[in-house]
Amino acid sequence: MDEKGSVSSHQDKPVPRCSLGSSSGLHYGALVNSVSSLAPLASDKPPISQRRAYVAIAVLCYVNLLNYMERYTIAGVLSEIKNFFAISDSTAGLLQTVFICSFLLLAPLFGYLGDRYNRKYIMLCGLSVWLLTAAGSSFVTKSQFWLLVLLRALVGVGEASYSTVAPTIIGDLFSGGQRSVMICIFYIFIPVGSGLGYITGAGSASLTGDWRWALRITPIMGLVGLVLMVFLCPNPPRGAAETHGDGVTGHSSYLEDVKYLLKNKSYVWSSLGVTSLAFLTGALAFWLPTFLARAHVTQGLRPSCTGESCNSTDSYIFGAVTVATGILGGALGTTISRQLRDRFSHADPLICAVGMLGSVPCLFITIFVASSSIPVTYVFIFFGELLLSLNWAVLADILLYVVVPTRRATAEALQITVGHLLGDAGSPYLLGVISDAIRSYHPDTSDFRSLMYSLLLCPFIGILGGVFFLITTMYINEDKKAVQRLVEGPQPQHGQTPDSSMELSNKNNV
């Protein structure tokens, strides 16, 4: 992307875009030859100025912050919700599971639409549903727990539309090292939003004396994000950053897209690593505040919570730790990646492997030390989350440079689907089931001990994820170069007839 940029107006002439495919659809065997004949001229100007791109990234980051705040506000008031509805650990875990399930089931649909239609409109429609259902869930009565579960499932509609499409827009606004930085900033707001979710959820419940207000804060803030997105977020041509504003479009079936991705070994193995990471972080994010609260009770530091208003100290501290480690880990991971990537082509998946495997001993110590020392527990939670946070921005960058521009939304969607289906969709519920089962077979086991034993599953999943990322290092260089050849291929000879599957489109998609 031209660093100086150019401000587009309604009077600008439409920028021709390269289209991949024909009426019969693009065959993958011809993909490289077709795209390589359309390398842009150096004089081409981007259709979106840098100033507008920076404003867009600010809006996208703000909405991403709210998405993850909304996801974890319930975890910040989980004890109050359990007491209000008189539900067990496994039933409480179901609140997060149904949300993630709807999120993952709808992600492929939004991925398909995101590779073919206006991405801005897709995000706006999804976020509108999210705002209405999130706000509505705060008005559920004590006899309507089923309705709370249903509304939490519908909240996943908005998040599926946004999480699938937004990273691909960033990928089309920036390229190279600048893209890595912007992706890092965007993904830093995952742990920041998660941490603020605990804090705002617990804080609003504490200030108002009513846990329902924890579910009303993000919809109110979301209205601002919706308006900002309407006026300030563009819909750049797909592949615009790599083609100096021209962009590329592809006409292929969804089945062809899936076949392409399944043959991309870096994408497949890194997606399995993402799945392990999602399982681990989803389970820890949902249950650690409750685990720490029970640890205080076990040590005799505070009485057990029996009412609707519980001590929120652990949610505050855990939220602050999550915010701090998210910022530090995201920035550190991206910095290490940029320093090592030129010298070691497999540096990115190696960083992810180190982060996953390095967190394992921290998790073991956290689980076993909680019954004797809360301060030491928080120290190892900090280091464990810091190591896990190295991964988020790096993983997003990996997907963008090993997948062709016209299939990135589908790639995001499938990774989200698999990652959540086998990851954090079931991990909170699974740990709750294990905890309840332990107490059922051993009635004398305390709530703290049963949850502690169920959390032991997490370090083993961390080891599995580290292995997946190590396998990714074997294929990352080859797949990255394939995409580079695809997008930055040589110009066709003068007078050469373009491939029959290529055509020019004069539609400006900004």
Side-chain angles (χ1 to χ4, degrees), residues 119-452:
R119 292 172 289 182
K120 177 177 178 178
Y121 295 156
I122 292 171
M123 290 192 297
L124 289 174
C125 291
L127 288 176
S128 299
V129 174
W130 166 61
L131 291 175
L132 291 173
T133 54
S137 65
S138 68
F139 295 97
V140 173
T141 62
K142 183 175 292 188
S143 61
Q144 295 177 317
F145 179 74
W146 63 270
L147 182 57
L148 177 62
V149 172
L150 176 62
L151 291 173
R152 287 299 296 172
L154 293 176
V155 169
V157 175
E159 294 213 20
S161 68
Y162 187 79
S163 298
T164 302
V165 172
T168 68
I169 291 180
I170 298 174
D172 292 333
L173 290 173
F174 304 95
S175 63
Q178 195 177 28
R179 174 195 284 169
S180 299
V181 173
M182 295 305 164
I183 285 291
C184 171
I185 294 172
F186 180 79
Y187 276 89
I188 276 177
F189 283 93
I190 291 179
V192 171
S194 302
L196 289 178
Y198 299 117
I199 295 171
T200 57
S204 57
S206 178
L207 289 174
T208 61
D210 187 353
W211 62 267
R212 297 174 186 83
W213 276 101
L215 307 182
R216 296 169 184 166
I217 299 299
T218 49
I220 293 172
M221 299 172 66
L223 286 173
V224 178
L226 192 67
V227 173
L228 291 175
M229 186 172 291
V230 169
F231 294 103
L232 300 177
C233 186
N235 180 43
R238 292 167 183 84
E242 291 98 337
T243 59
H244 299 273
D246 278 356
V248 293
T249 59
H251 301 292
S252 59
S253 69
Y254 187 74
L255 182 59
E256 287 177 317
D257 292 348
V258 173
K259 287 180 179 178
Y260 164 79
L261 293 171
L262 290 178
K263 292 178 180 178
N264 189 322
K265 295 179 181 179
S266 297
Y267 173 77
V268 171
W269 287 109
S270 64
S271 294
L272 291 174
V274 169
T275 302
S276 302
L277 180 63
F279 185 102
L280 187 60
T281 56
L284 295 176
F286 194 80
W287 284 115
L288 270 187
T290 301
F291 176 68
L292 291 167
R294 293 178 183 180
H296 278 93
V297 175
T298 299
Q299 294 185 39
L301 300 177
R302 74 172 64 140
S304 178
C305 175
T306 57
E308 290 185 25
S309 181
C310 301
N311 191 308
S312 303
T313 303
D314 296 301
S315 293
Y316 292 137
I317 299 176
F318 185 74
V321 169
T322 302
V323 171
T325 55
I327 295 173
L328 292 174
L332 184 60
T334 299
T335 301
I336 295 173
S337 172
R338 296 184 69 188
Q339 292 294 325
L340 298 181
R341 192 184 295 171
D342 292 338
R343 287 182 287 171
F344 306 101
S345 58
H346 58 280
D348 284 351
L350 190 59
I351 292 169
C352 296
V354 170
M356 288 289 283
L357 296 174
S359 69
V360 169
C362 296
L363 294 176
F364 272 120
I365 295 173
T366 294
I367 293 169
F368 286 107
V369 172
S371 60
S372 57
S373 176
I374 297 297
V376 173
T377 301
Y378 271 117
V379 169
F380 283 96
I381 288 176
F382 177 89
F383 286 113
E385 288 203 337
L386 180 66
L387 288 165
L388 291 174
S389 295
L390 294 175
N391 297 356
W392 292 114
V394 177
L395 285 170
D397 212 12
I398 289 175
L399 184 147
L400 290 175
Y401 65 63
V402 301
V403 176
V404 294
T406 54
R407 288 161 184 85
R408 285 173 181 162
T410 299
E412 289 278 358
L414 289 179
Q415 191 174 86
I416 286 172
T417 299
V418 174
H420 289 304
L421 179 63
L422 303 178
D424 57 348
S427 61
Y429 180 67
L430 178 60
L431 264 63
V433 169
I434 295 173
S435 176
D436 288 343
I438 291 173
R439 286 202 305 275
S440 176
Y441 286 106
H442 302 282
D444 57 335
T445 304
S446 66
D447 289 350
F448 169 77
R449 292 291 175 186
S450 63
L451 186 55
M452 183 188 78

